[in-house]
C-alpha cells in the first residue's frame, strides 16, 4: 500500500485501511541504510486475487496499491 520514512505516517494509513480490511500491517524494513515502514495487506492465494481485491476495495476508494510477491 505504501512505504514511509516515519512510522506515524504508516500507522495513519494502516488505520484508514483497517476500516474496511482487517488484514493490514505495518512492516519495518531498511532501504538505502534508512528505516522505512511498509503498509501491507495480505496474504492472497494468487496475484489475480490480490489484483481483484485492489481493483474492488482499494481503487474505488482512490487508494493506490502495488502487488508485491515474496
Amino acid at each position: 500500500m505504501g512505504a514511509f520514512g516515519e512510522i506515524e505516517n504508516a500507522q495513519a494509513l494502516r488505520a484508514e485501511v483497517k476500516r474496511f480490511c482487517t488484514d493490514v500491517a505495518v512492516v519495518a524494513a531498511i532501504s538505502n541504510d534508512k528505516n522505512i515502514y511498509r503498509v501491507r495487506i495480505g496474504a492472497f492465494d494468487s496475484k489475480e486475487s490480490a489484483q481483484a481485491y485492489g481493483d474492488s476495495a482499494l481503487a474505488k476508494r482512490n487508494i493506490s496499491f502495488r502487488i508485491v510477491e515474496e
Side-chain angles (χ1 to χ4, degrees):
M1 304 264 331
F4 302 89
E6 301 292 329
I7 193 166
E8 295 83 6
N9 295 333
Q11 290 171 333
L13 178 58
R14 179 185 176 272
E16 179 183 344
V17 174
K18 191 105 173 136
R19 288 185 275 149
F20 59 88
C21 177
T22 59
D23 190 11
V24 57
V26 174
V27 179
I30 297 176
S31 178
N32 297 325
D33 295 325
K34 294 182 182 178
N35 289 330
I36 61 168
Y37 303 93
R38 296 177 176 148
V39 180
R40 295 209 165 161
I41 292 177
F44 293 91
D45 293 332
S46 67
K47 185 175 181 178
E48 292 77 19
S49 64
Q51 185 69 50
Y53 182 82
D55 291 342
S56 66
L58 303 176
K60 72 179 181 182
R61 291 178 170 89
N62 292 321
I63 298 173
S64 61
F65 65 95
R66 178 173 53 168
I67 297 169
V68 177
E69 295 180 86
E70 292 183 347

